[in-house]
Amino acid sequence: MIGDLVKGREKSTLTLIEDSIEEPGRGLVSCFLLSLCQRVDEIHVITLDPKSQSMLEVVPAEAKTKIIHHNYQHAFLKMKESEHCLDSDFTKVIMAKGKLHKDRKVAVVIDSLSSLLLFRPVPYTCQTLHKLSDGASIEHVVALVHHDLHESNSLSLVEHTASTVIRTSPSQSAGHEFCCTTLHKKISGKIIRIKEHFNISDQFEIENITELKSLIDETPQQPTGQVDPAANLTFNLSLTDQEKKARSQVKLPYTYDQDRIEATLNKSVGEGKIFYQPDEADDFDEEDPDDDLDV
């Protein structure tokens, strides 16, 4: 799954990469960035963290012509002084500096959303992501967020706007350096949740992908004994062989055995009769109720 998402074989409009200080995800963002350089015509890179520059250093010289860099690192140093020092709408900034039209494929990479979540209300970040991913001219949005800096409620709101959420975690395999849990919402509406191990090459390509499920299946499981729910009771719930035989010979009412079926089939058609004996309190009228009808 992670390989298909990076290469673009699996469609996703907004990919949210959640990392932590123990398991950084900027290398995974670089994988997306290099893959987008091969698939789209224009990439807008919005940097908000001081370490975001390292992501741009891995881009080859021939692919840097596709990248338009929006540097907001210094703007966030003044966030506490004035909340108007940052452009309130990234979409307008991208439209002003880029060439957005239906014939060009455009992508956006944000590193990282944590600066927005720390200094702006959560709905502002959600609206920003929605405007970017909902635009007809923007094909893919990749955003990094440091989940260990925020509350789970705030992250949950941001995750609702994303079509794919990738969270890094410690690797549980000796042959793999990275591990991630992916929650992907397909276009058909199906939701896929998968945990994978993988490695990142020197060229920032995903390789050696292995599902965690296959690793768990290889671990031998100890057989567990079945617990008898009828054990240690003060009364008996089971039947002996003699009691089971006696129960099978009981003829239940309203059920047809072989003798009753043969008696019903052998009965002639003319033998059926209906007898009616009126009660003394019945007001029996001998006149024909349909006597006035012309029938």
Side-chain angles (χ1 to χ4, degrees), residues 16-184:
L16 185 66
I17 302 175
E18 300 179 350
D19 70 346
S20 62
I21 190 172
E22 293 86 5
E23 302 297 330
R26 190 161 278 119
L28 189 57
V29 178
S30 299
C31 295
F32 274 96
L33 179 60
L34 292 181
S35 177
L36 289 172
C37 289
Q38 302 174 5
R39 295 187 286 114
V40 301
D41 303 315
E42 186 177 297
I43 305 173
H44 293 262
V45 179
I46 302 174
T47 56
L48 304 170
D49 288 356
K51 296 183 179 180
S52 301
Q53 292 293 131
S54 61
M55 179 182 59
L56 296 173
E57 295 174 357
V58 303
V59 180
E62 61 273 12
K64 288 185 177 180
T65 56
K66 296 183 177 182
I67 294 179
I68 300 177
H69 185 202
H70 306 270
N71 190 353
Y72 288 101
Q73 300 174 25
H74 300 289
F76 271 93
L77 296 177
K78 303 177 182 179
M79 280 294 295
K80 292 185 179 180
E81 301 176 4
S82 174
E83 62 179 10
H84 301 290
C85 64
L86 180 68
D87 294 311
S88 59
D89 195 345
F90 284 141
T91 308
K92 293 181 180 179
V93 177
I94 292 174
M95 292 180 63
K97 294 186 178 182
K99 300 176 182 179
L100 302 183
H101 52 80
K102 61 181 181 179
D103 296 331
R104 290 176 61 85
K105 296 181 180 180
V106 180
V108 178
V109 178
I110 304 175
D111 185 2
S112 73
L113 293 176
S114 293
S115 301
L116 287 175
L117 292 173
L118 289 174
F119 297 105
R120 288 291 181 88
V122 178
Y124 168 80
T125 304
C126 296
Q127 291 173 3
T128 301
L129 293 175
H130 179 71
K131 287 181 180 180
L132 291 174
S133 60
D134 196 45
S137 55
I138 298 179
E139 182 175 298
H140 194 186
V141 178
V142 180
L144 178 68
V145 62
H146 311 306
H147 70 83
D148 52 346
L149 298 180
H150 312 287
E151 297 179 353
S152 58
N153 294 336
S154 301
L155 279 177
S156 178
L157 294 175
V158 179
E159 289 173 355
H160 279 300
T161 63
S163 56
T164 305
V165 179
I166 303 173
R167 172 169 288 199
T168 60
S169 59
S171 176
Q172 301 175 4
S173 174
H176 297 84
E177 187 179 358
F178 301 98
C179 180
C180 71
T181 301
T182 304
L183 180 66
H184 178 58

